[in-house]
Amino acid sequence: VVAEWTGVPGGSWASLVVPRLCSDALDCNGHGESQGLPGSCKCLCKKAYLGERCEMCSLGFQDYPDCLPRATGSIGWRLVLASSVSGNSWHLGHVSMHTDLSCSQESA
């Protein structure tokens, strides 16, 4: 907001709203190029990112905000269960792929 004197007799302060220009850092989380007019900015996300504001990793990438290439092959899988819902249902907390069947940290 910018305040300005009207400059006329009996004038008063008036508030003027100045729109913020589109920003790669603010509108696209630093992961894309912002385009458009203030108030209706759109993002063209970099290769590893997607979403209206480049707020998630594209398919084949993981670990937002880094969005590193995801491994394409695996020998072993490790499922970490968060909690049991009921019966035979579970909430999945984490999935990791490993290059050996021991599922060691080094093979992730």
Side-chain angles (χ1 to χ4, degrees):
V1 176
V2 176
E4 178 181 282
W5 181 254
T6 59
V8 295
S12 61
W13 288 97
S15 294
L16 304 172
V17 176
V18 178
R20 173 184 59 77
L21 295 176
C22 296
S23 161
D24 295 352
L26 296 175
D27 295 304
C28 305
N29 294 307
H31 304 300
E33 180 183 326
S34 62
Q35 297 182 338
L37 299 173
S40 61
C41 301
K42 303 286 183 199
C43 294
L44 292 175
C45 300
K46 294 177 183 176
K47 177 183 177 181
Y49 301 89
L50 63 86
E52 193 172 302
R53 298 178 56 125
C54 306
E55 72 276 10
M56 62 184 90
C57 296
S58 295
L59 185 64
F61 296 87
Q62 64 185 12
D63 298 328
Y64 184 86
D66 299 321
C67 292
L68 304 171
R70 183 176 298 232
T72 56
S74 176
I75 293 175
W77 290 64
R78 174 176 285 165
L79 302 177
V80 178
L81 302 174
S83 63
S84 171
V85 179
S86 65
N88 293 329
S89 298
W90 293 83
H91 283 287
L92 187 59
H94 179 75
V95 175
S96 58
M97 296 185 295
H98 299 268
T99 57
D100 64 36
L101 291 177
S102 69
C103 295
S104 65
Q105 281 293 88
E106 296 80 29
S107 71

